[in-house]
Amino acid sequence: MIIKQASFVISNTDYKKCPDDQKAEYAFIGRSNVGKSSLINSLTNNKSLAKTSSKPGKTQLINHFLINNEWYMVDLPGYGYAKTSKTNRAIFHKMINDYLLNRKNLICLFVLIDSRHNLQAIDDDFMQWLAENQIPFSIIFTKTDKVSKNNLAKNLKDFKKKMLENWSELPNILLSSAHKKEGLKEILNYISFLNSEVN
Ligand code: GTP
Ligand code: MG
């Protein structure tokens, strides 16, 4: 798939105010700073569509982007950001959970994991919650440019092994580097395939 058009639609704290739910939707989530907003910018070939930062906790709203006038990409706040108050964390948590549990047109949630890390409890717990609530998801490893090819293969193998300790099957796992623009075609082809299944 080629992205011909990508535009910002709206930012919300409440899923009820999100745009019409007649178009297929794909959202990006993961720990703060994992590279969600950067990946959206790379996929759409637009450096400033989603706001990025080297400091965690940048994205604080549910951000909708309309792609090819046909489907939505959604940039979500990260989880696991420690430097905020308990009250704020609870607000984020509720905002994200409400969105994920109620957004009927969410075809696939991409859970982003830093390629340098093995499966962390926070990601595993989150994915368990997704499975319990039947929210379809796939994994995208990010920042693959930060590890050597050998280490990437090893990390991926270790990650899958650890995941299979608690999971009976693995979700789809894709690889990406927003900076080197790698793995983008595979992600877009996957979205294109899912779009063709719903249409
Ligand atoms: P929050 O909105 O704060 O949750 O963060 P985020 O997950 O949206 O991360 P963001 O895209 O803002 O990127 C965080 C940092 O990681 C920035 O300094 C990016 O430049 C960097 N980064 C993102 N993607 C890549 C990548 O593919 N490679 C490298 N080397 N750095 C990346
Ligand atoms: Mg962000």
Side-chain angles (χ1 to χ4, degrees):
M1 178 187 7
I2 294 167
I3 294 192
K4 285 173 262 166
Q5 176 263 339
S7 55
F8 168 74
V9 183
I10 194 167
S11 295
N12 280 300
T13 52
D14 183 351
Y15 80 92
K16 289 187 192 124
K17 294 183 187 152
C18 288
D20 77 80
D21 58 8
Q22 301 303 305
K23 293 184 171 71
E25 186 154 308
Y26 301 86
F28 294 76
I29 201 160
R31 299 185 80 168
S32 277
N33 212 46
V34 72
K36 301 173 290 293
S37 304
S38 302
L39 184 59
I40 287 178
N41 287 346
S42 265
L43 287 168
T44 56
N45 202 19
N46 183 331
K47 284 197 182 94
S48 52
L49 192 66
K51 293 194 181 81
T52 65
S53 169
S54 56
K55 291 195 201 112
K58 179 70 180 173
T59 309
Q60 306 223 338
L61 299 164
I62 302 165
N63 301 289
H64 273 79
F65 304 101
L66 180 62
I67 312 296
N68 290 349
N69 213 19
E70 196 190 329
W71 52 278
Y72 293 117
M73 234 183 230
V74 179
D75 192 14
L76 293 170
Y79 50 75
Y81 176 48
K83 281 190 195 155
T84 188
S85 67
K86 242 188 182 168
T87 320
N88 256 344
R89 263 209 299 275
I91 292 170
F92 273 154
H93 192 74
K94 183 169 171 12
M95 173 172 92
I96 295 170
N97 284 14
D98 282 352
Y99 164 81
L100 293 173
L101 292 170
N102 292 294
R103 193 70 176 157
K104 293 188 181 65
N105 54 330
L106 181 66
I107 305 295
C108 180
L109 177 69
F110 291 109
V111 178
L112 274 53
I113 308 270
D114 191 313
S115 299
R116 293 169 292 181
H117 303 148
N118 203 332
L119 181 63
Q120 315 270 305
I122 192 169
D123 295 316
D124 198 28
D125 291 349
F126 178 70
M127 291 188 285
Q128 294 283 357
W129 180 85
L130 292 175
E132 277 158 25
N133 289 285
Q134 292 169 357
I135 296 164
F137 70 95
S138 294
I139 290 176
I140 301 180
F141 270 45
T142 62
K143 309 190 187 184
T144 55
D145 57 283
K146 289 212 175 205
V147 281
S148 67
K149 278 226 159 61
N150 282 347
N151 280 342
L152 180 60
K154 183 183 181 305
N155 291 358
L156 193 58
K157 196 173 151 207
D158 291 349
F159 182 93
K160 286 180 180 169
K161 194 173 158 203
K162 189 154 183 205
M163 201 163 172
L164 284 171
E165 288 171 12
N166 296 322
W167 293 72
S168 54
E169 58 179 328
L170 291 171
N172 190 18
I173 302 181
L174 295 153
L175 303 173
S176 73
S177 163
H179 282 194
K180 289 230 167 124
K181 294 197 160 279
E182 284 169 3
L184 308 180
K185 216 167 39 178
E186 287 76 6
I187 297 169
L188 291 175
N189 284 346
Y190 182 54
I191 292 175
S192 183
F193 162 73
L194 293 175
N195 274 342
S196 70
E197 297 254 291
V198 283
N199 287 328

